[in-house]
Amino acid sequence: MPVSWISSVGVGIEVDREMSKSGALDLATGVGGKIKKEDVQSAVEQYEKYHVCFGGGEETRKANYSDMVNKYYDLATSFYEFGWGESFHFAPRWKGESLRESIKRHEHFLALQLGLKPGMKVLDVGCGIGGPLREIARFSSTSITGLNNNEYQISRGRELNRVAGLSESCNFVKADFMKMPFPDNSFDGIYAIEATCHAPDAVGCYKEIYRVLKPGQRFAVYEWCMTDHFDPDNESHQKTKAEIELGNGLPDIRTTKQCLDALKLAGFEVISEKDLAADSPVSWYLPLDTSQFSITSFRLTSFGRFITRTMVKTLEFVGIAPAGSNRVSSFLEKAAEGLVEGGRKEIFTPMCFFLVRKPLSES
């Protein structure tokens, strides 16, 4: 899931050590994932060229989505885990609620909406390193399979499952969610958290989910969407959209209507739809907002960002972090700026919630 800028530029209001990897060396040595360290800078350059800011186009990103998204997560995952923890997503928040608490509640909400019960077989589409998978498995006593096409994230997820004692009930499958390696009607429930936004074709992705879901069962998804306030003819809006795409490995960002229409075209019955950001008492983008200051979230501040940027540059200079690490930090920071702008202008949401059902009998 694309959470965008993480702690090396200072996110994480109230993010504590329990949520993140242990420190700077973990971040530095993890940059690049499964990419050879000497090839990281070249991978950064190739990734950047897919995007508008560097002369790339939407059709190229869609045609090469698998390579683009894999490069993105190889480059960005250690930054994500260092600052955001194991669950790479946003959440609506109550006043007085910590980021960590809101993330757990957001995951529990999905489990409740799906009606998960012990013994059910569940699929997490685009599972990252499995933070939500583990939380939902513990909450619902279900068996969850995480689908992910990035080998580095799967290796991290398996290790975290082992540490959590969930290796028997939860597993990972490496595959493209546009071509899932499961038989028809395999799962009792399916969810996706800020992940299917990476799909080059929403209808094709939702059709695969429809295919592997059992008749009468539900699919719940949090989608990244441009809202009805987005004006495609507004240059400022387009700039914000391009920054979010660059910093989050996205071929395109669909509108809420496009996602809703795609779910219907895939064959689903729509139970409910809502932008959960609209009613959130605390803005979802607050962890990325540098105008906020808190001693407990020092990395969030402009000075905190300066310190962590300097740290990344230094570790790269002395050879602990691979060449190109600072460039990853830079495009993730640009993405954070785009996300905050998108949130303030109300032209973007990372939590458009759709709950749909596969009919018992297909017409």
Side-chain angles (χ1 to χ4, degrees), residues 277-297:
D279 297 331
S280 179
V282 176
S283 299
W284 61 266
Y285 55 84
L286 186 66
L288 305 177
D289 189 350
T290 54
S291 69
Q292 304 296 316
F293 183 83
S294 170
I295 294 298
T296 60
S297 56

Side-chain angles (χ1 to χ4, degrees), residues 195-209:
T196 47
C197 50
H198 289 298
D201 170 24
V203 176
C205 179
Y206 292 154
K207 279 185 174 179
E208 270 295 271
I209 292 168

Side-chain angles (χ1 to χ4, degrees), residues 117-307:
K117 296 179 177 61
M120 279 187 166
K121 185 180 177 184
V122 182
L123 178 66
D124 180 332
V125 177
C127 63
I129 61 172
L133 176 154
R134 286 181 288 278
E135 184 63 35
I136 291 173
R138 286 187 290 249
F139 179 74
S140 62
S141 298
T142 51
S143 173
I144 304 182
T145 296
L147 185 73
N148 192 324
N149 206 24
N150 183 267
E151 185 59 46
Y152 177 65
Q153 288 198 333
I154 287 177
S155 66
R156 282 294 303 144
R158 284 176 176 151
E159 172 61 16
L160 292 167
N161 276 7
R162 185 191 65 77
V163 170
L166 293 171
S167 297
E168 295 299 316
S169 59
C170 298
N171 69 302
F172 295 90
V173 172
K174 186 182 185 304
D176 184 341
F177 53 38
M178 301 297 292
K179 296 169 286 189
M180 296 189 199
F182 307 117
D184 295 356
N185 309 322
S186 292
F187 295 97
D188 300 300
I190 301 178
Y191 66 86
I193 301 177
E194 302 180 24
T196 47
C197 50
H198 289 298
D201 170 24
V203 176
C205 179
Y206 292 154
K207 279 185 174 179
E208 270 295 271
I209 292 168
Y210 182 97
R211 180 182 67 79
V212 301
L213 181 64
K214 292 179 181 178
Q217 300 303 315
R218 295 180 172 190
F219 167 52
V221 57
Y222 295 136
E223 279 288 4
W224 280 33
C225 296
M226 305 311 294
T227 71
D228 292 341
H229 296 289
F230 173 70
D231 178 2
D233 297 321
N234 183 309
E235 286 188 16
S236 174
H237 287 192
Q238 285 287 6
K239 178 176 180 292
T240 297
K241 178 174 179 283
E243 288 174 347
I244 296 172
E245 290 166 348
L246 166 66
N248 295 281
L250 304 178
D252 186 24
I253 307 175
R254 291 173 276 271
T255 65
T256 53
K257 184 179 185 304
Q258 285 173 326
C259 286
L260 179 62
D261 289 346
L263 286 163
K264 292 176 180 177
L265 286 170
F268 286 110
E269 299 171 344
V270 178
I271 299 171
S272 63
E273 54 154 321
K274 184 176 183 180
D275 178 6
L276 300 183
D279 297 331
S280 179
V282 176
S283 299
W284 61 266
Y285 55 84
L286 186 66
L288 305 177
D289 189 350
T290 54
S291 69
Q292 304 296 316
F293 183 83
S294 170
I295 294 298
T296 60
S297 56
F298 178 69
R299 292 172 180 172
L300 176 66
T301 67
S302 294
F303 187 53
R305 289 190 179 199
F306 170 75
I307 289 176

